């Protein structure tokens, strides 16, 4: 049985009302939510699985030093066990439990972007179980900027291995309802907060490469990281959204149930092509959903992307036609990375 605890009272806004403005109803709701988080922390420390909100997407967490618990995370998600997990910490100083090699660049990035949507891949300490890192000699570490997550980890008093709280392959969860749809009955506790503020996963930067290499783009861009360390940070080949090179391999990740096509090109032509493909398909009885974000409103596109995919599935779409975003290196690029994977690299140029 999965326990679902409402922790929406731990939103930054409600915390401000409680702690700064001392509003009695805010204080009371916050304290009630804190008790639920404390209960979840006991479950986590005892080897249970706890889903929690972060500013990026919801995570499914286990004590990173409890191998049995970590194995249960892979099982609950149906995830291949060679895919490494990000380890989440509550305080930057906890990093010493995971790595013993910190460079000045790593410290600068932590100082600038933690808590926040940045994951650093670091040389792993031997004590970090290899089941967490998929057998790699490195470990991915992040300090999320979300009060419920931070409080959970602080009280459980352990680093928390936590991939996104969705079934492997399906769109990442940005609302509690998404998590419940995928994982109810498979985890011990779900901490149900509100909508995730960022909406796409953290930027993953490999700090063991020279120059540091972005493995997964996010809302923190290469330029932003580069400015913080006053040195180059590059986008690695894995982040570009290009199809995997092995021939015939149709790899779909973050994917809706519907078939999906991305239309790329000059904006007016994209719109016209979407309309054309839509009406052709509707004529033969295919239910079509359209995913078209405003150009330039990239932050909003990131925030809404996964929720829109899930909503189109819920509406029973057979085919999703998406308009590509043209940005090549910022937040729009990070959204495109997900869009291309969701569509299994099924793209038409117009
Ligand atoms: P998720 O588990 O859905 O949050 O995704 C975690 C991402 O971090 C995946 O893309 C992993 O491949 C990546 N990752 C985790 N650990 C490492 C690592 N040690 N080296 C490289 N990438 C990693
Ligand atoms: Mg994931």
């Amino acid at each position: 049985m999965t326990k679902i605890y409402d922790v929406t009272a731990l939103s930054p806004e409600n915390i401000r009302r409680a702690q700064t403005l001392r509003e009695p109803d805010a204080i009371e709701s916050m304290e009630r939510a804190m008790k639920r988080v404390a209960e979840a922390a006991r479950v986590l420390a005892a080897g249970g699985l706890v889903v929690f909100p972060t500013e990026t997407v919801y995570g499914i967490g286990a004590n990173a030093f409890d191998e049995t618990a970590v194995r249960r995370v892979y099982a609950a998600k149906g995830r291949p066990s060679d895919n490494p997990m990000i380890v989440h910490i509550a305080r930057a100083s906890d990093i010493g439990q995971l790595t013993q090699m910190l460079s000045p660049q790593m410290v600068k990035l932590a100082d600038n972007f933690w808590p926040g949507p940045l994951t650093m891949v670091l040389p792993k300490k031997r004590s970090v179980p290899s089941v967490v890192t998929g057998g790699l000699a490195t470990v991915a570490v992040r300090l999320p900027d979300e009060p419920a997550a931070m409080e959970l980890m602080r009280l459980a008093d352990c680093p928390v291995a936590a991939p996104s709280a969705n079934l492997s392959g399906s769109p990442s969860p940005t609302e509690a309802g998404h998590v419940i749809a995928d994982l109810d009955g498979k985890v011990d506790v779900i901490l149900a907060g509100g909508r995730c503020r960022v909406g796409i996963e953290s930027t993953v930067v490999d700090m063991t490469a020279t120059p540091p290499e972005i493995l997964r783009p996010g809302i923190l861009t290469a330029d932003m990281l580069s400015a913080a360390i006053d040195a180059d940070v590059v986008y690695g080949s894995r982040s570009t959204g290009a199809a995997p090179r092995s021939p015939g391999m149709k790899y779909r990740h973050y994917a809706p149930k519907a078939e999906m096509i991305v239309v790329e090109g000059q904006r007016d032509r994209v719109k016209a092509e979407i309309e054309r493909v839509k009406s052709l398909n509707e004529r033969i009885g295919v239910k079509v959903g359209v995913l078209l974000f405003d150009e330039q409103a990239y932050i909003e596109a990131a925030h809404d992307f996964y929720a829109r995919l899930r909503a189109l599935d819920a509406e029973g779409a057979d085919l999703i036609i998406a308009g590509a975003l043209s940005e090549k290196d910022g937040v729009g690029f990070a959204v495109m990375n997900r869009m291309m994977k969701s569509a299994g690299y099924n793209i038409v140029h117009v």
Side-chain angles (χ1 to χ4, degrees):
M1 249 281 285
T2 300
K3 290 184 179 139
I4 300 173
Y5 295 149
D6 180 357
V7 295
T8 46
L10 295 178
S11 67
E13 171 56 18
N14 199 59
I15 291 174
R16 194 181 65 88
R17 285 177 49 217
Q19 292 185 337
T20 312
L21 306 174
R22 307 296 304 162
E23 292 178 18
D25 62 330
I27 292 172
E28 199 208 329
S29 64
M30 197 181 112
E31 282 173 354
R32 244 183 294 133
M34 290 291 232
K35 281 199 189 117
R36 296 174 188 138
V37 172
E39 174 57 31
R42 278 191 288 277
V43 171
L44 193 57
L49 304 190
V50 175
V51 172
F52 55 96
T54 80
E55 81 280 33
T56 58
V57 304
Y58 278 76
I60 169 175
N63 176 350
F65 287 106
D66 182 335
E67 293 188 32
T68 311
V70 171
R71 285 207 174 81
R72 283 183 61 214
V73 173
Y74 284 111
K77 278 180 65 82
R79 174 174 176 142
S81 60
D82 58 354
N83 195 348
M85 295 181 186
I86 295 173
V87 180
H88 295 67
I89 53 178
R91 293 163 292 245
S93 56
D94 291 344
I95 203 171
Q97 296 180 50
L98 305 168
T99 188
Q100 49 203 4
M101 272 191 270
L102 276 183
S103 68
Q105 290 192 337
M106 296 169 192
V107 174
K108 274 192 194 146
L109 289 183
D111 283 348
N112 274 274
F113 299 110
W114 282 359
L118 178 69
T119 297
M120 286 195 274
V121 172
L122 308 172
K124 155 183 129 52
K125 236 180 169 172
R126 275 177 56 186
S127 51
V128 178
S130 68
V131 59
V132 170
T133 63
L136 297 173
T138 52
V139 60
V141 187
R142 179 166 109 82
L143 201 170
D145 184 16
E146 185 67 44
M150 290 162 114
E151 189 64 8
L152 173 73
M153 291 188 287
R154 196 181 64 77
L155 292 172
D157 199 24
C158 58
V160 174
S164 51
N166 53 307
L167 291 175
S168 185
S170 73
S172 297
T174 56
E175 297 173 16
H178 301 161
V179 176
I180 294 166
D182 278 17
L183 295 176
D184 193 13
K186 297 185 171 168
V187 297
D188 299 297
V189 178
I190 295 172
L191 295 179
R195 278 284 290 275
C196 299
R197 275 175 294 132
V198 174
I200 58 171
E201 303 84 347
S202 57
T203 303
V204 177
V205 60
D206 183 354
M207 298 305 292
T208 68
T210 313
E213 185 178 315
I214 292 181
L215 304 178
R216 178 174 74 186
I219 65 156
L220 299 177
T221 63
D223 285 348
M224 292 161 81
L225 304 193
S226 175
I229 61 173
D230 198 17
D232 279 352
V233 173
V234 298
Y235 282 111
S237 58
R238 268 172 58 189
S239 68
T240 57
R245 244 164 275 159
S246 38
M249 190 181 134
K250 198 83 177 159
Y251 168 77
R252 274 185 103 192
H253 196 117
Y254 313 130
K257 295 191 187 80
E259 284 298 312
M260 187 166 163
I261 315 173
V262 177
V263 182
E264 184 189 61
Q266 193 264 330
R267 193 71 178 170
D268 291 337
R269 285 203 222 147
V270 166
K271 284 186 181 162
E273 181 66 2
I274 288 176
E275 277 315 309
R276 196 181 71 82
V277 176
K278 181 169 183 275
S279 68
L280 276 177
N281 276 277
E282 283 175 345
R283 233 177 288 157
I284 55 167
V286 172
K287 184 152 188 215
V288 177
V290 171
L291 190 63
L292 189 64
F293 297 105
D294 286 348
E295 277 286 359
Q296 260 82 57
Y298 298 127
I299 297 279
E300 201 179 309
H303 181 258
D304 292 346
F305 178 69
Y306 288 124
R308 290 289 307 282
L309 288 186
R310 283 187 182 251
L312 289 167
D313 268 344
E315 288 161 20
D318 303 305
L319 173 67
I320 297 172
I321 313 174
L325 300 169
S326 60
E327 198 190 36
K328 291 289 172 256
D329 56 7
V331 178
F333 168 68
V335 175
M336 280 312 295
N337 166 280
R338 275 70 175 182
M339 194 186 282
M340 293 304 294
K341 287 182 180 166
S342 301
Y345 303 94
N346 194 7
I347 187 161
V348 289
H349 303 271
V350 289

